[in-house]
Amino acid sequence: MKKTFKYRRNFLQTSLKSNILLEYPRFQDTYGLIHQDFKTLYPDDNENLVGLFQPDFQEKLQTLGNLNTITGQNKDWCSEIIATLCWITLLRPTGNGRGTKRPPLKRAFMDFIVFQSENEELTPKSSPTIIAQGGTRSDVRRFFVSVDGTLIVTNNTFIDAFDIFFKLHFVFEIKYEDTLRNFLTYLEYYVFKITDRSIPNTTVNKCRMLLLNAQNE
């Protein structure tokens, strides 16, 4: 896979880019390939979400975020996922252009992570989504990242799935979903420090100032 990295980058510039996982199916069942390609793309990047997501940062997210918007079964997730949903409330979806309606937070949550029972067959999504599988939301046994109707393996922790979820946007050159654009832009600039895209908007920068003292520098 290291030897074929340049071929993949060239393939993604063609009209067949949507077939990338058909051409390179090992991404689906071989752990670590998304991390490897991302590191090749950004060799100077040493950040990852494992180092950031310490208990004090999670607590800060739950304190600053709008915990009241996390209702229904979403309240049953583990503390790491609840903290991340609170983070999304600080970076709410925006309308796609002037006069368009702002997508609801509920849709942003669903575009980020969905639960599927161990008793049902996994249903991959077309856009990048974390799929948590277990007996209940508080007892998740396996995590996958779904993209283009396929599943990519993780080390079965939420933080690793979250890490892969973000990185595959760059590895496969996938645009951010409108519902998560602010959230992923924040990660791009202020966690992974990738600066080859447009300047963050006011919402993203306001969240940065709010979390500045909570985030590891």
Side-chain angles (χ1 to χ4, degrees), residues 45-58:
D45 177 77
N46 295 314
E47 294 291 336
N48 60 66
L49 289 166
V50 176
L52 171 65
F53 240 75
Q54 300 303 311
D56 57 340
F57 186 63
Q58 293 182 52

Side-chain angles (χ1 to χ4, degrees), residues 139-203:
D139 182 30
V140 174
R141 307 292 178 84
R142 298 194 296 172
F143 287 95
F144 300 90
V145 179
S146 179
V147 61
D148 288 338
T150 63
L151 296 171
I152 293 176
V153 295
T154 74
N155 70 1
N156 288 321
T157 66
F158 166 68
I159 299 302
D160 186 62
F162 186 4
D163 206 35
I164 292 172
F165 166 81
F166 172 78
K167 289 174 178 176
L168 64 78
H169 287 84
F170 294 85
V171 171
F172 297 144
E173 296 191 357
I174 298 172
K175 292 182 179 179
Y176 298 153
E177 286 290 305
D178 291 342
T179 53
L180 296 169
R181 185 183 297 118
N182 283 333
F183 180 51
L184 297 179
T185 299
Y186 184 100
L187 296 179
E188 177 183 335
Y189 269 77
Y190 297 128
V191 176
F192 292 91
K193 300 179 175 63
I194 300 168
T195 57
D196 58 354
R197 295 194 179 190
S198 59
I199 297 172
N201 60 34
T202 302
T203 300

Side-chain angles (χ1 to χ4, degrees), residues 203-214:
T203 300
V204 175
N205 282 322
K206 283 176 64 177
C207 183
R208 167 63 170 172
M209 296 307 296
L210 191 63
L211 293 176
L212 187 61
N213 295 328

Side-chain angles (χ1 to χ4, degrees), residues 13-215:
Q13 305 308 312
T14 72
S15 61
L16 297 175
K17 65 176 293 185
S18 62
N19 294 328
I20 185 70
L21 290 172
L22 295 177
E23 292 291 319
Y24 298 96
R26 293 284 72 81
F27 278 109
Q28 299 172 58
D29 57 17
T30 305
Y31 176 71
L33 296 182
I34 294 293
H35 295 306
Q36 178 177 285
D37 269 21
F38 185 84
K39 188 65 177 179
T40 304
L41 280 171
Y42 301 100
D44 297 329
D45 177 77
N46 295 314
E47 294 291 336
N48 60 66
L49 289 166
V50 176
L52 171 65
F53 240 75
Q54 300 303 311
D56 57 340
F57 186 63
Q58 293 182 52
E59 183 178 350
K60 195 73 171 181
L61 289 174
Q62 293 202 40
T63 300
L64 295 173
N66 191 344
L67 193 58
N68 292 331
T69 62
I70 301 173
T71 59
Q73 292 180 319
N74 278 327
K75 293 190 298 185
D76 298 332
W77 289 116
C78 69
S79 61
E80 291 174 335
I81 299 177
I82 291 289
T84 307
L85 297 183
C86 284
W87 199 353
I88 293 174
T89 71
L90 297 173
L91 293 155
R92 301 175 70 93
T94 56
N96 188 15
R98 182 175 296 179
T100 58
K101 189 175 180 180
R102 181 197 297 263
L105 269 172
K106 181 179 179 181
R107 182 179 153 196
F109 295 160
M110 291 182 65
D111 285 345
F112 177 66
I113 187 168
V114 296
F115 174 79
Q116 293 192 7
S117 170
E118 291 177 322
N119 298 323
E120 61 181 319
E121 184 178 353
L122 287 171
T123 306
K125 310 296 181 183
S126 57
S127 59
T129 311
I130 298 171
I131 295 183
Q133 186 182 45
T136 64
R137 281 173 171 77
S138 60
D139 182 30
V140 174
R141 307 292 178 84
R142 298 194 296 172
F143 287 95
F144 300 90
V145 179
S146 179
V147 61
D148 288 338
T150 63
L151 296 171
I152 293 176
V153 295
T154 74
N155 70 1
N156 288 321
T157 66
F158 166 68
I159 299 302
D160 186 62
F162 186 4
D163 206 35
I164 292 172
F165 166 81
F166 172 78
K167 289 174 178 176
L168 64 78
H169 287 84
F170 294 85
V171 171
F172 297 144
E173 296 191 357
I174 298 172
K175 292 182 179 179
Y176 298 153
E177 286 290 305
D178 291 342
T179 53
L180 296 169
R181 185 183 297 118
N182 283 333
F183 180 51
L184 297 179
T185 299
Y186 184 100
L187 296 179
E188 177 183 335
Y189 269 77
Y190 297 128
V191 176
F192 292 91
K193 300 179 175 63
I194 300 168
T195 57
D196 58 354
R197 295 194 179 190
S198 59
I199 297 172
N201 60 34
T202 302
T203 300
V204 175
N205 282 322
K206 283 176 64 177
C207 183
R208 167 63 170 172
M209 296 307 296
L210 191 63
L211 293 176
L212 187 61
N213 295 328
Q215 186 172 319

